[in-house]
């Protein structure tokens, strides 16, 4: 049996009660959800269903929305890429924020929610396009990105692990210099992460990833059964004269 999409093993009982009752639409629960998200940032846990529920409450009650909490929700959604969580979060933000964060509308004002969305969307796009070196370059040289992710404990380590997971799913071997750029690690830190955290091996200038069900090349033979009478009908129609 598959895991339910709203399942979260770390979810407190009071949050679960709210999510499964009418109180999830009660504006008074916004503070409860906000505290819960702050806890997720500190404990390195993640509850997509609860975070989306808060954004929905903000959508219904825009006067209650807190930019800092929205920032944290978006950053936490980044940490589970390549899942669609970040895009789901964006879909619940006010339209004016999304419109003013587009380049063709001009740069958003400094310190606004739209500016934060623009910068985090850049990181999201780079991750989705597997531009991992660009992701780290943007992150390291964009002061706003550093500020936006400051509340999320272990953000950089989490992103390295997520990148490593994607690499393990599609590669058996990768150049050391390439992987160093993707992980933003070099020297002893790189060696430790690759060997001790990932369990991969370093062979000269190559990093080898153990075979698994995702990265193992397998030949697939496609078979299609077509009955003889299907051919006969097709040939007959080809020779029929139009009426």
């Amino acid at each position: 049996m598959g895991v339910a999409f709203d399942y979260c093993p770390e979810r407190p009982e009071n949050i679960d009660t709210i999510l499964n009752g009418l109180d999830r639409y009660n504006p008074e629960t916004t503070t409860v959800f906000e505290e819960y998200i702050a806890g997720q940032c500190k404990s390195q846990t993640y509850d997509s269903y609860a975070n989306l529920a808060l954004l929905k409450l903000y959508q219904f009650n825009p006067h209650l929305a807190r930019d800092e909490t929205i920032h944290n929700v978006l950053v936490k959604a980044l940490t589970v890429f390549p899942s669609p969580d970040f895009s789901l979060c964006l879909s619940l933000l006010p339209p004016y924020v999304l419109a003013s964060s587009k380049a063709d509308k001009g740069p958003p004002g400094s310190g606004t929610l739209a500016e934060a969305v623009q910068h985090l969307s850049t990181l999201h796009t780079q991750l989705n396009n597997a531009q991992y070196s660009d992701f780290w370059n943007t992150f390291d040289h964009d002061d706003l990105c550093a500020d936006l992710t400051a509340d999320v404990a272990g953000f950089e380590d989490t992103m390295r692990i997520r990148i490593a997971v994607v690499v393990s799913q599609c590669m058996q071997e990768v150049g050391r210099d390439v992987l160093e750029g993707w992980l933003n690690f070099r020297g002893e830190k790189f060696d430790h992460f690759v060997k001790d955290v990932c369990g991969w091996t370093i062979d000269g200038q190559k990093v080898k990833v153990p075979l698994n069900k995702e990265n193992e090349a397998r030949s697939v033979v496609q078979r299609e059964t077509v009955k003889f009478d299907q051919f006969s009908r097709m040939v007959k129609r080809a020779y029929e004269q139009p009426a």
Side-chain angles (χ1 to χ4, degrees), residues 1 4 31 38 41 60-61 67 75 89 97-98 113 125 127 143 151 154-155 163 165 168 182 198 221 227 240:
M1 182 180 294
T31 55
C41 292
F60 290 149
N61 307 276
D67 287 359
V75 173
C89 292
V97 172
L98 303 179
L113 178 59
T125 298
L127 290 170
D143 291 338
D151 289 342
F155 175 78
I163 292 171
V165 168
S168 72
W182 288 354
C198 299
V221 178
K227 297 181 179 179
E240 287 177 347

Side-chain angles (χ1 to χ4, degrees), residues 45-86:
T45 56
Y46 181 69
D47 191 337
S48 173
Y49 195 51
N51 296 352
L52 291 172
L54 176 60
L55 292 184
K56 176 60 72 173
L57 279 171
Y58 283 165
Q59 194 177 49
F60 290 149
N61 307 276
H63 62 287
L64 297 176
R66 296 179 56 190
D67 287 359
E68 182 180 356
T69 300
I70 296 175
H71 299 164
N72 288 341
V73 169
L74 292 174
V75 173
K76 290 296 291 184
L78 277 180
T79 64
V80 293
F81 95 96
S83 77
D85 288 32
F86 187 87

Side-chain angles (χ1 to χ4, degrees), residues 44 148 184:
Q44 299 187 43
L148 292 171
N184 200 32

